Amino acid sequence: VTLTSAQARQLEALATNLLRGEPIDTAVAEVRTLLGALTMLHKVSIKNVLMGFEGLVQQAANRLEKELVLHVAQDSADIWVDPQRYRPFFRTLVHVFRNAVTHGIETPDARWTTGKDEVGRITCRLTQQGETLRLSIADDGAGISIDALRQRAVATGLYTQHKILAMSDADIMQLIFMDNISTHTQISELAGRGIGLTATLAETNNLGGQVVVNSVLGKGTEFVFELPFSHKEPIEGGRP
């Protein structure tokens, strides 16, 4: 924990007053600012959590001989959350990133032949609207084939041909969260058969949130998470 010299003096004065048994006037702006900063000590920045996946993403890309960058954008002030509550969800995002690298981003040669920049891109965007956190993780890769998902669902016996044709594209896209559903024919040690995304969906549900997958074949795939967020949790920066 790092304190500025001003914060250190404020904390010392606060401690001295408490030891003397003197009351604390929480209406004083400096006191409120200091107390607000102290409540942030155990919280983590979602932006920092997302940036923490950069090493994993680059390692996976290197092994697959792909080139990409991870970019974390934010439309508002940094958002801090209780790690105890969100940590299980954050841990499962590793599967989203691995799937983006393995199944989404193409090789430099494949991207060049389709007119794309040879360096792929994974973009994370975080916004806070009222009591909802919206996290988007998008890649500019090959996208997901709805037809291939339909065929896979029928081949695994999950749905009949008649049933699968009656389902909407949005419902079909959600099948990627089911075990053993994948349009990727070769399983790698990095990702395969949709393994892991089931856990991501489960932890999203445990938080009371939801996730939608948007994909355009040849353009890329986006995971959009909407998670509950209490106003009781400070959302501004200002951590000491």
Side-chain angles (χ1 to χ4, degrees):
V1 178
T2 303
L3 297 173
T4 65
S5 58
Q7 288 173 327
R9 288 193 297 272
Q10 291 172 359
L11 190 58
E12 180 181 8
L14 180 63
T16 299
N17 291 339
L18 288 173
L19 289 172
R20 290 174 178 171
E22 298 178 5
I24 299 175
D25 186 358
T26 57
V28 176
E30 289 185 353
V31 173
R32 292 186 64 83
T33 299
L34 179 61
L35 293 177
L38 291 176
T39 64
M40 299 288 288
L41 287 175
H42 77 292
K43 296 184 183 294
V44 296
S45 159
I46 298 182
K47 181 178 181 179
N48 289 344
V49 170
L50 295 172
M51 288 301 300
F53 287 101
E54 185 173 16
L56 178 144
V57 165
Q58 293 298 338
Q59 182 181 42
N62 291 338
R63 293 180 66 176
L64 294 170
E65 298 183 343
K66 297 180 179 181
E67 297 180 14
L68 61 86
V69 294
L70 173 64
H71 176 66
V72 179
Q74 201 161 276
D75 293 344
S76 58
D78 205 357
I79 299 174
W80 299 74
V81 295
D82 184 346
Q84 185 172 355
R85 180 183 180 191
Y86 290 89
R87 184 178 290 115
F89 167 75
F90 289 148
R91 285 175 175 171
T92 67
L93 291 182
V94 64
H95 304 297
V96 177
F97 285 106
R98 278 180 173 171
N99 273 272
V101 177
T102 306
H103 302 305
I105 301 297
E106 311 94 329
T107 63
D109 287 345
R111 292 178 65 86
W112 182 82
T113 59
T114 58
K116 292 183 177 180
D117 190 315
E118 294 180 21
V119 179
R121 190 177 185 88
I122 298 176
T123 302
C124 304
R125 185 169 296 278
L126 180 66
T127 58
Q128 186 261 326
Q129 300 173 338
E131 296 186 352
T132 300
L133 289 179
R134 188 176 188 274
L135 170 62
S136 164
I137 301 177
D139 67 70
D140 65 347
I144 300 172
S145 169
I146 291 292
D147 290 338
L149 275 177
R150 283 195 168 93
Q151 294 171 12
R152 180 64 178 168
V154 173
T156 58
L158 185 63
Y159 292 103
T160 65
Q161 185 71 30
H162 176 75
K163 179 66 175 179
I164 205 72
L165 291 176
M167 294 175 63
S168 67
D169 288 354
D171 289 337
I172 294 296
M173 194 63 69
Q174 292 298 109
L175 295 181
I176 66 172
F177 291 106
M178 302 188 70
D179 286 334
N180 300 330
I181 293 292
S182 175
T183 60
H184 206 260
T185 56
Q186 183 178 13
I187 300 169
S188 73
E189 59 184 285
L190 292 176
R193 294 190 295 182
I195 292 174
L197 292 181
T198 301
T200 303
L201 178 61
E203 291 303 335
T204 301
N205 291 336
N206 286 342
L207 284 173
Q210 60 183 5
V211 55
V212 174
V213 182
N214 304 310
S215 187
V216 177
L217 196 60
K219 298 295 184 181
T221 301
E222 178 187 32
F223 287 75
V224 181
F225 298 91
E226 291 192 352
L227 308 171
F229 181 80
S230 173
H231 285 293
K232 295 180 181 179
E233 299 173 357
I235 63 174
E236 296 292 337
R239 172 179 243 192

